[in-house]
């Protein structure tokens, strides 16, 4: 490259706000080109070939069993969709299922226009498309967070880069790693950015026509809101939507309070925002009208049903456990903490510790110039509302208006994470505006961070006493508490770059071992047992996997492009199960569940609920109903039932599969 062009490139990388998004996109595109993602499907190599067998596709880390929503359900449905040509109605999923409600599943259906995470499947080979979708989720969140930071802290490019990377690598998001988590946050931030541009009447840079510019931004906001709505996971969407709405309302009030817009201008710009919301609502109603069957089946089920919840059920530890997130990465330790790793996961959540400094800064501003920062006030109010909801049983009438009765208390963590990231950035802005000298700020920030350390240490002592198998060494707890308290101190001292570096460092320390790096989709796309299933049956034949201990293989027939009555039942089909086992068991089979066929003899009923509410056990008892609906079964052990005729045995170093045909 000529020296002159080289200098221009370096200058662009240093100065352009677009350099970071472009470089990050190139990195993720390269990873996708080589089929590298963070999937945990490498679990199958271990179960088939043994723990000591080296998996050539595992590039870093270890697959995580607890992330079964990804490797056991979502990823396997994606593979099935690919084999079937991405239909809206997948005939191989149980008795057949409409997959359009699943944000993870690509399908040829008009709502896919608003699911950009799935566009790659229609243009690329499966494994590259899967990898590109994987990184797209993180990319959109990191980039939206980056531009949000630059809206609040202008010209803080390096802070924005480091901070947004830390948000994208949050333990909560990596443990869950699903569209609903990443994109709820990303679309929430994008909606805020676009709303602020509309409120400020900011033009699109390359357009001179102001009306066209405004129209394009309203259209962009409408698109973002529709994309957000079609994620279709209310427990994550509702808290984020509330947080974004409060921020935007606070911004509108602040603009009016500052005298920067008239009431008439405020009304016009608020109307533009409402127009986007109304258009998105119409599209949402159109979606509901054209996809009513799966929606009614899901909301009318025993589980999850309408999922109405009461407040006050969250443990304090679920919010204040951020500082022990590094220990959550140990499977040996994590099994002895609050609950499993995904459910116990958290953001690096400074929010609870920033509420008092926020009150101090607002009171100081009021004493100084009798002014209220309505943005900060709105953030304080929405934070208080969420904390009241999860820690007290009060305010049900208000929380029903906010739809928070549809959000399980433990899912509110994503709302704390969303408001928390906004709160951190805005607190830095307020500290800078307060113009407190470093000499005066140092004792205040140091004293408060020391107080926070004391609180964290007390929580740590509680953890060592009540969860000694998770951590019993008080020194480890003290070191982690000190590191977390140092983050608070650096933020309050307004040491932005140092805080961002430390925040990213603590985040990576808490999440570096969560997600593996894996090439391709391993045994799920090309393995001996799948080939034999295809060889001995036709696409019209139905299969089931036998054995309550065979959960890993519940969808193997599905992966072989065969109808699978076992495995993931994304919503109930009551008509099918009524024909199979009778209407009297509707309270059992009317649920979203993993379906297992059992020959254990531990129960006599044709179906029953398993140990978990999302497990449905079917008695493999050679009943006439079973013989009418089932053609073949796959088992991990020999069967004694008279209706099962052994066709073939497929052996691996660590597992054996017995393929049976169902006969009269």
């Amino acid at each position: 490259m000529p020296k002159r062009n080289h200098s221009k490139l370096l200058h662009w990388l240093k100065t352009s706000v677009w350099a970071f998004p472009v470089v990050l996109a190139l990195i993720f595109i390269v990873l996708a080109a080589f089929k590298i993602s963070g999937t945990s499907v490498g679990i199958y190599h271990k179960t088939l070939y043994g723990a000591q067998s080296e998996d050539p596709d595992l590039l870093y880390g270890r697959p995580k069993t607890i992330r079964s929503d990804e490797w056991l359900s979502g990823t396997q449905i994606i593979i099935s969709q690919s084999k079937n040509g991405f239909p809206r109605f997948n005939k191989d999923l149980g008795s057949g299922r409409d997959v359009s409600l699943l944000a993870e599943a690509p399908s040829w259906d008009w709502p896919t226009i608003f699911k950009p995470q799935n566009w790659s499947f229609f243009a690329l080979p499966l494994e590259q498309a899967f990898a590109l979708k994987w990184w797209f989720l993180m990319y959109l969140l990191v980039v939206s967070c980056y531009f949000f930071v630059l809206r609040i802290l202008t010209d803080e490019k390096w802070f924005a880069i480091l901070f947004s990377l830390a948000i994208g690598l949050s333990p909560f998001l990596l443990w869950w790693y699903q569209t609903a988590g990443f994109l709820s946050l990303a679309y929430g931030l994008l909606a805020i950015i676009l709303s602020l541009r509309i409120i400020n009447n900011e033009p699109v840079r390359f357009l001179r026509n102001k009306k066209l510019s405004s129209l394009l931004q309203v259209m962009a906001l409408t698109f973002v809101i529709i994309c957000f709505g079609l994620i279709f996971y209310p427990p994550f969407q509702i808290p984020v939507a509330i947080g974004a709405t409060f921020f935007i309302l606070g911004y509108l009030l602040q603009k009016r309070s500052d005298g920067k817009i008239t009431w008439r201008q405020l009304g016009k710009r608020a109307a533009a925002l409402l127009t986007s919301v109304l258009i998105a609502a119409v599209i949402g109603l159109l979606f509901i009208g054209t996809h009513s069957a799966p929606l009614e089946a899901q909301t009318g089920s025993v589980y999850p049903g309408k999922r109405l919840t009461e407040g006050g059920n969250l443990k304090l530890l679920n919010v204040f456990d951020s500082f022990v997130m590094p220990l959550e990465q140990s499977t040996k330790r994590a099994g002895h903490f609050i609950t499993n790793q995904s459910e116990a996961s958290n953001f690096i959540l400074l929010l609870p510790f920033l509420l008092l400094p926020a009150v101090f800064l607002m009171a100081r501003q009021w004493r100084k110039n009798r002014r209220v920062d309505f943005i900060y006030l709105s953030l304080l109010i929405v934070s208080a509302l969420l904390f009241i909801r999860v820690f007290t049983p009060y305010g049900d009438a208000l929380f029903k208006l906010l739809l928070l009765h549809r959000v399980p208390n433990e899912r509110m963590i994503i709302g704390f994470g969303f408001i928390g990231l906004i709160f951190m950035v805005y607190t830095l802005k307020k500290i800078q505006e307060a113009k407190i000298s470093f000499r005066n700020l140092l004792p205040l920030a140091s004293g408060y961070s020391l107080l926070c350390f004391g609180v964290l240490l007390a929580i740590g002592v509680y953890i060592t006493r009540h969860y000694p198998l998770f951590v019993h060494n008080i020194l480890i707890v003290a070191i982690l508490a000190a590191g977390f308290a140092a983050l608070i101190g650096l933020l309050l001292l307004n040491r932005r770059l140092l805080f961002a570096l430390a925040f990213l460092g603590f985040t990576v320390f808490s999440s570096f071992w969560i997600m593996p790096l894996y090439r391709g989709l391993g045994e799920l796309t090309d393995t001996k047992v799948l080939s034999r299933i295809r060889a001995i049956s036709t696409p019209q034949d139905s299969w089931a996997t036998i054995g309550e201990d065979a959960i890993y293989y519940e969808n193997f027939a599905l992966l072989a492009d065969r109808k699978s009555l076992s495995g993931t039942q994304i919503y109930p089909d009551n008509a099918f199960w009524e024909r199979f086992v009778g209407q009297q068991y509707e309270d059992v089979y009317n649920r979203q569940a993993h379906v297992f066929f059992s020959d254990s003899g531990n129960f006599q009923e044709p179906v029953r609920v398993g140990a978990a509410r999302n497990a449905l056990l079917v008695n493999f008892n050679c009943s006439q109903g079973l013989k009418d609906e089932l053609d073949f079964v796959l088992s991990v052990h020999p069967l004694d039932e008279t209706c099962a005729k052994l066709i073939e045995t497929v052996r691996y170093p660590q597992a054996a599969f017995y393929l049976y045909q169902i006969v009269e």
Side-chain angles (χ1 to χ4, degrees):
M1 180 184 293
K3 187 174 181 180
R4 191 173 182 180
N5 290 340
H6 181 72
S7 298
K8 284 185 178 180
L9 177 61
L10 286 176
H11 178 74
W12 179 79
L13 288 171
K14 289 178 181 178
T15 59
S16 174
V17 295
W18 290 100
F20 172 64
V22 169
V23 171
L24 190 63
L26 290 174
I27 292 170
F28 285 159
I29 288 170
V30 170
L31 288 171
F34 287 97
K35 305 185 290 188
I36 297 169
S37 71
T39 178
S40 286
V41 298
I43 283 170
Y44 285 98
H45 187 90
K46 178 181 176 181
T47 61
L48 296 178
Y49 298 99
Q52 305 306 315
S53 174
E54 183 179 349
D55 186 348
D57 294 320
L58 182 61
L59 307 178
Y60 167 79
R62 293 177 184 172
K64 296 297 186 290
T65 307
I66 197 63
R67 290 169 58 199
S68 58
D69 283 351
E70 180 266 311
W71 61 266
L72 184 60
S73 294
T75 297
Q76 297 190 22
I77 290 174
I78 288 171
I79 294 171
S80 175
Q81 282 293 101
S82 175
K83 290 180 181 296
N84 281 279
F86 304 110
R88 170 181 163 180
F89 192 85
N90 189 319
K91 61 181 176 56
D92 292 339
L93 269 172
S95 52
R97 294 293 189 279
D98 186 334
V99 301
S100 57
L101 298 189
L102 300 179
E104 312 293 345
S107 63
W108 287 107
D109 190 23
W110 68 262
T112 299
I113 298 168
F114 305 103
K115 298 180 181 180
Q117 70 273 17
N118 291 332
W119 292 349
S120 60
F121 290 100
F122 305 104
L124 298 173
L126 172 62
E127 291 179 317
Q128 282 86 352
F130 178 86
L132 190 59
K133 179 248 179 92
W134 186 278
W135 298 118
F136 175 83
L137 303 181
M138 184 182 290
Y139 177 81
L140 197 63
L141 174 57
V142 171
V143 170
S144 62
C145 184
Y146 167 79
F147 281 114
F148 171 79
V149 172
L150 292 178
R151 293 288 313 184
I152 306 300
L153 302 174
T154 311
D155 298 327
E156 292 283 351
K157 181 181 172 183
W158 281 106
F159 173 84
I161 290 171
L162 297 171
F163 182 82
S164 60
L165 286 172
I167 296 300
L169 295 170
S170 296
F172 180 91
L173 295 172
L174 295 197
W175 278 118
W176 283 91
Y177 216 101
Q178 55 182 236
T179 297
F182 280 97
L183 295 194
S184 291
L185 297 176
Y187 290 140
L189 292 170
L190 287 174
I192 289 174
I193 293 168
L194 288 166
S195 297
L196 267 52
R197 290 185 62 88
I198 292 168
I199 292 168
N200 294 332
N201 200 26
E202 297 175 31
V204 177
R205 185 172 297 178
F206 57 85
L207 286 177
R208 292 183 180 179
N209 188 313
K210 286 189 175 182
K211 288 186 177 180
L212 179 59
S213 181
S214 298
L215 178 62
L216 283 176
Q217 292 186 101
V218 170
M219 289 172 63
L221 178 60
T222 305
F223 180 80
V224 165
I225 296 173
I226 296 170
C227 290
F228 177 82
L230 293 186
I231 291 172
F232 244 92
Y233 189 67
F236 281 177
Q237 292 168 281
I238 291 170
V240 171
I242 291 171
T245 301
F246 266 79
F247 183 91
I248 293 165
L249 287 174
Y251 191 85
L252 275 168
L253 291 173
Q254 191 62 47
K255 293 289 286 187
R256 181 66 196 98
S257 175
D258 291 342
K260 294 182 178 179
I261 55 175
T262 65
W263 282 110
R264 184 178 179 183
Q265 289 172 326
L266 185 147
K268 288 176 66 176
R269 293 167 195 180
L273 300 182
L274 286 174
T275 300
S276 289
V277 173
L278 290 173
I279 294 172
V282 170
I283 298 297
L285 290 173
L286 178 62
F287 176 83
I288 291 171
T290 56
H291 298 74
S292 58
L295 279 168
E296 290 171 1
Q298 193 171 78
T299 56
S301 64
V302 174
Y303 176 85
K306 294 184 178 180
R307 258 186 181 165
L308 303 182
T309 62
E310 296 179 350
N313 296 320
L314 195 67
K315 295 179 180 179
L316 281 169
L317 206 53
N318 284 100
V319 172
F320 290 92
D321 64 351
S322 290
F323 72 106
V324 296
M325 282 298 104
L327 305 179
E328 272 282 292
Q329 297 176 95
S330 165
T331 304
K332 184 178 178 180
R333 289 179 183 271
H336 303 284
F337 197 34
I338 310 172
T339 179
N340 66 59
Q341 289 158 300
S342 293
E343 294 289 349
S345 62
N346 203 342
F347 294 85
I348 306 305
L349 192 62
L350 274 63
L351 176 63
F353 301 97
L354 297 181
L355 298 180
L356 282 178
V359 172
F360 168 79
L361 289 168
M362 285 196 66
R364 186 177 184 275
Q365 183 180 12
W366 176 256
R367 286 197 310 270
K368 193 173 180 180
N369 53 30
R370 290 296 188 270
R371 295 188 65 122
V372 174
D373 187 319
F374 286 100
I375 299 174
Y376 220 12
L377 180 61
S378 70
L379 291 174
L380 277 170
I381 291 172
V382 73
S383 300
L385 284 173
L386 296 194
F387 280 120
I388 290 169
R389 175 60 180 171
V390 298
F391 292 137
T392 77
Y394 306 114
D396 278 350
L398 172 61
F399 294 127
K400 282 182 180 178
L401 287 175
L402 295 173
L403 301 180
L404 286 174
H405 64 303
R406 297 187 177 277
V407 182
N409 286 203
E410 61 274 12
R411 297 293 178 264
M412 206 77 78
I413 295 296
I414 197 167
F416 293 134
F418 180 69
I419 296 165
L421 79 88
I422 296 173
F423 216 101
M424 284 186 280
V425 177
Y426 204 75
T427 297
L428 286 169
K429 176 183 173 66
K430 294 305 295 180
I431 292 170
Q432 183 181 39
E433 289 177 351
K435 296 181 180 178
I436 305 172
S437 67
F438 186 77
R439 174 186 289 183
N440 292 330
L441 195 57
L442 182 60
L444 290 173
S446 301
Y448 186 72
S449 60
L450 191 61
L451 176 64
C452 293
F453 171 72
V455 172
L456 291 166
L457 191 59
I459 294 170
V461 170
Y462 175 88
I463 292 172
T464 60
R465 290 177 179 174
H466 290 80
Y467 304 97
L469 295 179
F470 176 68
V471 59
H472 66 275
N473 190 327
I474 195 65
L475 179 60
I476 293 175
V477 169
I479 292 170
L480 292 174
F484 196 88
L487 292 178
I488 299 168
L490 289 171
L491 186 147
L492 296 179
L493 285 170
N494 201 26
R495 304 293 95 178
R496 297 185 183 184
L497 265 184
L498 198 54
F499 164 72
L501 279 168
F503 185 58
L504 177 58
F506 198 94
T507 301
V508 171
F509 185 47
S510 302
S511 62
F512 74 95
W513 200 239
I514 297 174
M515 187 175 70
L517 290 178
Y518 200 81
R519 182 173 52 233
L521 292 171
E523 300 294 329
L524 297 188
T525 57
D526 184 23
T527 190
K528 188 166 47 175
V529 66
L530 301 184
S531 298
R532 297 316 303 158
I533 289 173
R534 286 192 293 267
I536 68 172
S537 63
T538 69
Q540 289 72 42
D541 290 326
S542 58
W543 283 74
T545 298
I546 303 293
E548 297 172 43
D549 57 344
I551 181 172
Y552 287 13
Y553 314 113
E554 63 177 12
N555 290 319
F556 263 29
L558 184 72
L559 296 172
D561 195 17
R562 297 294 182 265
K563 186 175 182 177
S564 178
L565 299 184
S566 63
T568 307
Q569 178 171 283
I570 59 177
Y571 60 84
D573 182 349
N574 291 344
F576 169 79
W577 288 105
E578 181 180 338
R579 187 171 71 246
F580 196 111
V581 298
Q583 187 178 7
Q584 65 270 36
Y585 294 99
E586 183 176 344
D587 285 347
V588 178
Y589 57 69
N590 184 18
R591 67 187 60 242
Q592 182 185 77
H594 291 271
V595 178
F596 305 101
F597 281 67
S598 172
D599 67 330
S600 66
N602 291 335
F603 61 101
Q604 299 301 315
E605 307 93 334
V607 289
R608 75 167 186 176
V609 181
R613 293 180 66 197
N614 67 337
L616 175 63
L617 302 182
V618 181
N619 195 337
F620 186 71
N621 55 6
C622 285
S623 67
Q624 189 58 49
L626 185 144
K627 288 187 283 188
D628 289 343
E629 299 292 345
L630 202 55
D631 299 304
F632 293 88
V633 296
L634 176 150
S635 178
V636 293
H637 56 259
L639 301 177
D640 293 328
E641 281 71 14
T642 56
C643 64
K645 175 185 176 183
L646 182 65
I647 302 297
E648 190 171 339
T649 302
V650 181
R651 298 189 182 278
Y652 290 82
Q654 200 66 23
F657 297 96
Y658 302 87
L659 310 182
Y660 290 86
Q661 185 173 13
I662 301 300
V663 296
E664 289 292 337

